[in-house]
Amino acid sequence: MTSDPTLAEEAWRQAFGALPIEEGLALREGTAWRHLPGPAPGHHAPLLSVADLDAFLATDAARAPRVSMADSRREGSAAVPRHEYLREDDRVDLPGLFGAFDAGATLVVSQFHEMHPPLMRFCRGLEQVFLHGVQANIYLTPPGAQGFRVHYDTHDVLVLQVTGEKRWRLFPDQPVPRPTRRTPWPGNLSASGEPATLTLRAGDTLYVPRGVMHDAAAQDGDAPSLHITIGLMDPSFAAVLRLAVDLLEETDPALRETFPTWRLAEGPGRLAELARPLAARLAEPAALERTALELLDRLAADRPALLGRGLFVAPPQADTRLRLAPGVLHVLVPETDGGASLRWVGAEMRLDARQAAWMERLAEGATPRELGDGALDFCQRLVRRGLVVREP
C-alpha cells in the first residue's frame, strides 16, 4: 500500500512538478532562472482565485500595508498614492481601489499566506523542505498593464501563474550579485544585455534567483493576470554569522574582551592576531549547531503553528492509527545517550531512546499498541499537544 504524500511532497510537486529534489536544491544554490511549464492550466488554481481576493477585500483585514497598488506608467515611483485606494484609517476604499484597477493599476496583497489556508499549507510544505521561511505575495494585473518596472528581488522567488498570461523579460547581467535587504541600492540602476523573454501561462512556474533583473507585463485580452510570488526567505551567510557571534558571546568571555582601538595606529597585524582565534570559534561544530538550532526555533516560533488539533480533542485508544501532524515544524535533535530533544513551536521535549524511536515510526503511521508498552500515554500527550493526528 502506498502512503499519501506528505505536506512537503505536495508542496514540492505543486511548485517544481517532476523536477527531482536534488536538482531543485542545486537550482537554489545557483544563479540561473528556470521556467517550469505547468501540467495543466488549472494546476495552481487550488491555491488561489480572483474570488478569494474579492472575499478578502470585503473584510476588515484588507488594509495597508498588506494591500498596495502599483502602476509602471506613473512618473517617479510606480506606487499608486495611498489616498487613491485607502481610507484615512488605512482600510481599503473599495470604490477607489476598483477605479485604480480599472485604470490599469496592479493590486498587490502581501503576506497572503497568513490569511489564506491553502497558501499557508503550501508555504509550510516548502518550509519543511528548505528549513527557512516562505511567504506568498499576490499580484493581480489588468489586461495589457504592468505594475513594476525593471528591478531585482533581494530573495529568491517562485512565480506561480494562476490565471491569465504575463510576458516576462529576464536580463543576463546581475549588477548587484546575490543582494539581500541589507545591500544598498546603487541608484539609477538599469538593466543591460539582451533579455530572455517568455510568456508565463496559467499553471506555469518561474524560478527567479535574487539579483536577476526582470519585469513582467500582462498580455492584452479580456482576462487579468493573477500570479502568486512565493518568497524564499533564506538567511545569508552574513546573517548566520551575525547570529553565531551573538549566541557565542553569551557563553564565551573571549568575545567580550575589549577591542583595543588604541592599537589601530600600529597597523592590522596585532589586531588580526587577536581576532583570528575568535573567528575560528564561529566555525566550530558546537557553535554552528547552536546557531542552526536557533534558526529552526525562530522559524517554528515565527510561523503559524498549524497544530493537528482544535479546542477539543478526543484521546486516542490503543488501536487508533496515528501519524505526525503534517503541518507542524519540528526537528528531533539526537542526544549522546540515544535519546533526542524534540524542538517545535511549544516547549522543548526531552525524549528517551525508546520515545525517539516511536517518533520515527509515527512519521510513517502506527498505533500505540504496535509501538509497545507505555506508548499509549506518550501518544495521548502528543495528541494533546497537536503533534500527532489520527490517520483518516
Side-chain angles (χ1 to χ4, degrees):
M1 184 180 72
T2 59
S3 59
D4 293 333
T6 66
L7 197 64
E9 290 169 340
E10 289 179 354
W12 183 268
R13 293 173 190 170
Q14 184 74 54
F16 294 96
L19 190 72
I21 189 167
E22 284 303 322
E23 190 173 341
L25 297 180
L27 193 65
R28 291 293 316 278
E29 294 165 358
T31 58
W33 59 270
R34 179 83 169 260
H35 177 210
L36 302 166
H43 180 59
H44 296 312
L47 296 177
L48 184 70
S49 68
V50 175
D52 293 328
L53 291 179
D54 282 330
F56 163 71
L57 291 174
T59 70
D60 194 57
R63 56 175 66 224
R66 191 180 299 276
V67 177
S68 61
M69 303 194 80
D71 190 338
S72 65
R73 300 170 300 177
R74 299 185 62 85
E75 293 290 336
S77 171
V80 176
R82 292 159 60 99
H83 71 268
E84 294 188 17
Y85 63 94
L86 295 174
R87 300 179 181 181
E88 291 185 359
D89 62 0
D90 285 342
R91 288 187 298 164
V92 161
D93 172 20
L94 279 180
L97 186 147
F98 292 153
F101 182 80
D102 290 344
T106 291
L107 170 66
V108 182
V109 184
S110 301
Q111 309 290 314
F112 201 49
H113 64 285
E114 296 177 352
M115 315 290 297
H116 192 53
L119 283 175
M120 183 183 298
R121 288 177 55 82
F122 172 67
C123 289
R124 174 55 46 82
L126 289 183
E127 287 171 346
Q128 291 176 345
V129 174
F130 295 123
L131 299 181
H132 63 61
V134 176
Q135 66 180 31
N137 294 343
I138 311 305
Y139 299 85
L140 182 66
T141 302
Q146 179 174 335
F148 296 95
R149 305 181 187 100
V150 177
H151 65 284
Y152 63 74
D153 294 308
T154 57
H155 53 265
D156 301 345
V157 300
L158 284 165
V159 180
L160 314 182
Q161 190 71 27
V162 181
T163 60
E165 297 183 356
K166 217 161 196 181
R167 185 71 168 170
W168 283 74
R169 295 191 304 166
L170 300 112
F171 292 83
D173 295 335
Q174 296 188 26
V176 183
R178 311 302 287 171
T180 71
R181 289 184 177 182
R182 295 169 62 97
T183 308
W185 175 261
N188 299 321
L189 195 64
S190 60
S192 61
E194 186 65 25
T197 61
L198 65 93
T199 299
L200 211 60
R201 296 180 170 84
D204 287 357
T205 298
L206 176 64
Y207 170 70
V208 184
R210 55 194 169 109
V212 173
M213 299 286 284
H214 64 273
D215 67 359
Q219 299 291 79
D220 292 326
D222 297 328
S225 165
L226 174 62
H227 81 253
I228 307 164
T229 293
I230 300 298
L232 304 173
M233 314 304 290
D234 50 294
S236 66
F237 264 98
V240 171
L241 289 174
R242 283 192 294 269
L243 175 59
V245 169
D246 289 341
L247 294 174
L248 199 58
E249 183 187 8
E250 297 174 2
T251 57
D252 193 333
L255 280 171
R256 302 196 292 268
E257 289 289 345
T258 299
F259 182 85
T261 53
W262 49 88
R263 299 291 184 186
L264 289 173
E266 300 175 8
R270 174 57 179 158
L271 295 177
E273 290 179 10
L274 296 173
R276 194 171 294 113
L278 299 179
R281 285 186 173 90
L282 298 178
E284 292 176 355
L288 292 176
E289 181 181 13
R290 184 179 181 188
T291 306
L293 291 177
E294 178 66 20
L295 287 172
L296 293 173
D297 288 346
R298 291 185 180 188
L299 177 62
D302 289 345
R303 319 314 282 177
L306 294 188
L307 298 181
R309 61 156 294 177
L311 289 173
F312 174 78
V313 60
Q317 303 305 311
D319 293 316
T320 304
R321 183 156 290 276
L322 305 168
R323 68 183 309 132
L324 297 181
V328 178
L329 285 167
H330 74 279
V331 62
L332 274 178
V333 182
E335 302 285 358
T336 56
D337 62 358
S341 172
L342 175 61
R343 307 177 80 100
W344 61 301
V345 68
E348 179 182 350
M349 296 174 60
R350 181 70 177 83
L351 309 181
D352 60 31
R354 186 173 60 159
Q355 292 169 334
W358 289 343
M359 286 290 295
E360 297 289 347
R361 291 188 61 185
L362 285 168
E364 301 297 327
T367 68
R369 191 184 305 279
E370 291 170 350
L371 296 179
D373 293 341
L376 179 58
D377 177 69
F378 177 73
C379 289
Q380 289 176 342
R381 285 190 286 126
L382 294 183
V383 167
R384 286 193 296 271
R385 286 168 170 79
L387 280 162
V388 166
V389 297
R390 286 173 166 80
E391 283 197 341

